[in-house]
Amino acid sequence: MRLFRERLPQERPAVPPTGYKVAFPMLSWDGTRTGFRGVSLGGRIVYGALDEARCGYGRRHGSPARGCDCGFYCLHSAAEAQALTCATDCRDAVILQVSVLGAYTRYERGVRYARQRVRNVRVGACRCGRAAEAFVRTETGLPGWRELRGTCVPCAGGLRLLELREFAALAGAWVNVTTAVADPVLTQGAQGAQDGLPALAAEAALLRARLDEFQERLAELEGDPPAAG
């Protein structure tokens, strides 16, 4: 066993490894803290921009632990993390660039590790396709925490917004927040819907006029005086 341990490769990097992961941005109930919620095993745990992993099963051991799949996870590739946001359940998730700290284990696609520091938060486009300008609260959350999603100002509909820079300031002085470019396909669809509003309004006015005419003719047939317009 001793010989086997001596043959195991040991990494001593000069700088912490970098990884990428997806998570849901969170805001504390009193609006004084921000955090992140995982999308899989750690979905019931909110962690900070600088935090230690905790066992998602509630076991009293350090993470990552042998015989348990707890711990922080990240991918080597930002493109793979981006691909995860295509899933319906992850469409409002952000992409985190993290520094891997403490003990870690490499696997084929990424790293499982004990501690992390979030360096960059990349917010995806608004659901309409425009670039996100702020965060808005959703109807999803955990005890003491409310989930956020990126939105443009027009789609916020007057809801209370949390500016991206404010989110970064609450997360930590070292955290940077960036936004994805607008999605041209979705943006064109949203613009097309807006362009069609005048035509729909004209059709509605025409239908209303026809309905008023029909009611007047029906009143004449029944012998009732026409209703005042």
Side-chain angles (χ1 to χ4, degrees):
M1 181 63 70
R2 183 178 179 182
L3 292 176
F4 177 75
R5 288 181 178 175
E6 290 178 349
R7 293 175 182 175
L8 289 176
Q10 295 184 0
E11 293 188 38
R12 298 184 182 276
V15 295
T18 296
Y20 304 88
K21 61 192 301 181
V22 295
F24 296 106
M26 308 292 288
L27 179 68
S28 64
W29 66 273
D30 57 359
T32 61
R33 294 178 296 158
T34 57
F36 305 94
R37 178 175 70 85
V39 299
S40 55
L41 174 62
R44 304 299 300 177
I45 299 176
V46 177
Y47 55 86
L50 177 61
D51 212 336
E52 296 186 2
R54 300 181 291 279
C55 181
Y57 300 107
R59 298 169 183 168
R60 297 181 179 180
H61 58 228
S63 298
R66 292 184 178 180
C68 184
D69 54 2
C70 62
F72 286 130
Y73 285 81
C74 69
L75 297 165
H76 296 309
S77 168
E80 286 194 67
Q82 179 67 49
L84 293 178
T85 62
C86 294
T88 302
D89 295 341
C90 299
R91 64 177 180 175
D92 293 329
V94 297
I95 299 176
L96 306 181
Q97 180 185 4
V98 301
S99 293
V100 175
L101 307 175
Y104 63 88
T105 302
R106 290 186 181 273
Y107 61 98
E108 182 180 1
R109 298 176 58 193
V111 182
R112 182 165 75 109
Y113 53 103
R115 299 179 64 240
Q116 74 178 8
R117 183 189 296 268
V118 176
R119 293 291 186 180
N120 187 78
V121 180
R122 186 172 185 270
V123 186
C126 177
R127 291 183 177 180
C128 72
R130 300 185 183 92
E133 301 174 81
F135 284 115
V136 66
R137 299 180 183 183
T138 71
E139 299 302 320
T140 303
L142 295 174
W145 295 89
R146 176 72 69 183
E147 187 176 304
L148 305 172
R149 66 175 176 86
T151 182
C152 66
V153 173
C155 288
L159 296 176
R160 184 177 180 182
L161 299 176
L162 178 67
E163 295 185 3
L164 302 181
R165 61 182 180 181
E166 185 178 355
F167 179 93
L170 293 175
W174 62 88
V175 178
N176 185 41
V177 177
T178 58
T179 57
V181 298
D183 188 320
V185 176
L186 293 178
T187 303
Q188 289 176 4
Q191 185 62 43
Q194 292 182 349
D195 293 341
L197 289 178
L200 291 176
E203 291 182 9
L206 179 59
L207 290 175
R208 178 62 182 176
R210 291 178 176 176
L211 178 60
D212 291 342
E213 181 181 359
F214 173 78
Q215 290 178 334
E216 290 179 1
R217 294 183 61 184
L218 181 61
E220 291 177 356
L221 293 175
E222 293 179 348
D224 297 331

